[in-house]
């Protein structure tokens, strides 16, 4: 299946969940978690895009997206600190 079609379908489902809402709590919980993962990946994308000028690069994977998505900006700063001091 074409990747653009898959992304379009997933995006449509996320928008549907955002506007209509999910009738069941587990589905709503999974939808909110997926949205937070996507937001975390976007945070990391913009960090890598703008941080490239100063040498900051945090890889985008499921673990780092979850940390930055669920913890927000403090989680993003924690990932940068871990990357700078440990790696």
């Amino acid at each position: 299946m074409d990747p653009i079609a898959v992304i379009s379908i997933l995006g449509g489902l996320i928008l549907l969940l955002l506007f209509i809402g999910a009738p069941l709590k587990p589905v709503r919980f999974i939808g909110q978690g997926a949205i937070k993962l996507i937001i975390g990946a976007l945070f990391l994308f913009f960090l890598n895009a703008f941080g490239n000028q100063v040498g900051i690069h945090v890889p985008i994977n499921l673990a780092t997206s979850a940390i930055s998505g669920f913890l927000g900006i403090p989680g993003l700063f924690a990932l940068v600190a871990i990357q700078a001091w440990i790696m």
Side-chain angles (χ1 to χ4, degrees):
M1 188 172 224
D2 189 30
I4 294 183
V6 173
I7 292 172
S8 299
I9 291 170
L10 289 176
L13 288 175
I14 289 172
L15 286 174
L16 183 70
L17 282 174
L18 283 174
F19 288 121
I20 296 174
L24 303 173
K25 282 193 176 190
V27 175
R28 183 175 294 154
F29 179 71
I30 291 170
Q32 288 175 348
I35 290 171
K36 286 187 180 192
L37 283 174
I38 292 170
I39 290 171
L42 285 173
F43 278 163
L44 289 170
F45 174 76
F46 287 119
L47 173 74
N48 289 335
F50 296 117
N52 192 19
Q53 298 169 352
V54 292
I56 297 173
H57 175 74
V58 178
I60 301 174
N61 54 35
L62 184 61
T64 57
S65 294
I67 290 171
S68 64
F70 286 103
L71 297 178
I73 301 296
L76 192 67
F77 288 150
L79 288 172
V80 170
I82 289 170
Q83 181 72 22
W85 284 330
I86 293 179
M87 302 290 182

